């Protein structure tokens, strides 16, 4: 029967279209999910770094003058802690060296805001984007993937 054969073909075509759409939707959802996760990781890290670099109230003017080096060191130390890097490695050192301009830009932008200066130096977002591009080009993965910390399964032992 030709009519039944036509209905079978239409049904299979509809099934294929639905399957394709579901596959494309799943890929799009995964991409949006990753984009959201990276945006929040970016926000949380930069907020934590900015807080780590703040000069504590009551610090003297003299300590604030040399404060950039100290603030950068504190921020980079915090980054190492957040990434779980306790030992020095060549890749870690290179990554920290390339991330340093981001921290410096963040520090200077915060200082310009405190002083109400119009010249804030280089835009933090642009410097961070350059770092992200460098990292992705160098390591073929997003920097923000480093913050995926799966919790290892540990056996439960009753004593």
């Amino acid at each position: 029967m030709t009519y039944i054969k036509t209905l079978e073909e239409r049904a299979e075509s509809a099934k294929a279209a639905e399957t394709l759409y579901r596959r494309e939707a799943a890929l799009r959802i995964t991409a949006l999910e990753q984009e959201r996760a990276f945006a929040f990781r970016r926000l949380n890290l930069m907020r934590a770094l900015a807080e780590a670099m703040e000069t504590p109230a009551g610090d003297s003017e003299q300590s604030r003058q040399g404060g950039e080096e100290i603030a950068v060191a504190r921020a980079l130390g915090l980054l190492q802690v957040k990434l779980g890097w306790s030992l020095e490695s060549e890749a870690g050192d290179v990554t920290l060296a390339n991330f340093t301009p981001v921290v410096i830009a963040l520090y200077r932008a915060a200082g310009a805001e405190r002083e109400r200066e119009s010249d804030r130096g280089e835009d933090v977002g642009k410097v961070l984007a350059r770092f992200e591009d460098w990292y992705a080009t160098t390591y073929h993965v997003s920097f923000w993937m480093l913050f995926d910390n799966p919790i290892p399964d540990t056996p439960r032992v009753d004593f």
Side-chain angles (χ1 to χ4, degrees):
M1 296 190 134
T2 348
Y3 178 69
I4 299 297
K5 185 75 171 164
T6 301
L7 290 177
E8 284 177 355
E9 289 171 359
R10 287 183 185 164
E12 288 301 318
S13 176
K15 179 182 171 184
E18 178 190 9
T19 301
L20 177 63
Y21 179 79
R22 286 181 184 275
R23 193 173 301 131
E24 290 170 351
L27 290 172
R28 180 70 176 135
I29 288 169
T30 300
L32 289 171
E33 182 179 89
Q34 185 177 57
E35 189 176 319
R36 174 196 42 81
F38 288 177
F40 275 98
R41 289 173 188 175
R42 188 177 293 113
L43 166 65
N44 292 334
L45 177 65
M46 297 307 284
R47 180 182 288 153
L49 294 176
E51 289 171 1
M53 289 190 294
E54 287 179 358
T55 305
D59 274 8
S60 68
E61 184 64 32
Q62 185 180 14
S63 67
R64 273 185 238 144
Q65 288 175 353
E68 181 173 295
E69 286 180 34
I70 294 168
V72 168
R74 279 196 313 245
L76 293 175
L78 177 65
L79 177 61
Q80 286 178 294
V81 169
K82 289 202 169 282
L83 292 172
W85 292 352
S86 57
L87 301 174
E88 290 186 23
S89 72
E90 185 177 337
D93 292 345
V94 170
T95 299
L96 291 175
N98 279 281
F99 194 81
T100 299
V102 176
V103 175
I104 291 170
L106 183 63
Y107 178 82
R108 290 179 180 168
E113 284 178 14
R114 279 192 305 273
E115 303 299 325
R116 304 253 194 269
E117 294 175 13
S118 59
D119 180 26
R120 297 180 183 194
E122 197 166 6
D123 181 69
V124 179
K126 289 178 183 175
V127 178
L128 181 58
R130 269 199 313 269
F131 168 78
E132 290 178 21
D133 290 343
W134 167 83
Y135 193 90
T137 301
T138 304
Y139 297 106
H140 309 291
V141 67
S142 171
F143 171 71
W144 304 107
M145 295 296 286
L146 292 176
F147 293 86
D148 280 344
N149 294 323
I151 299 171
D153 289 332
T154 53
R156 184 175 174 184
V157 179
D158 290 331
F159 292 99

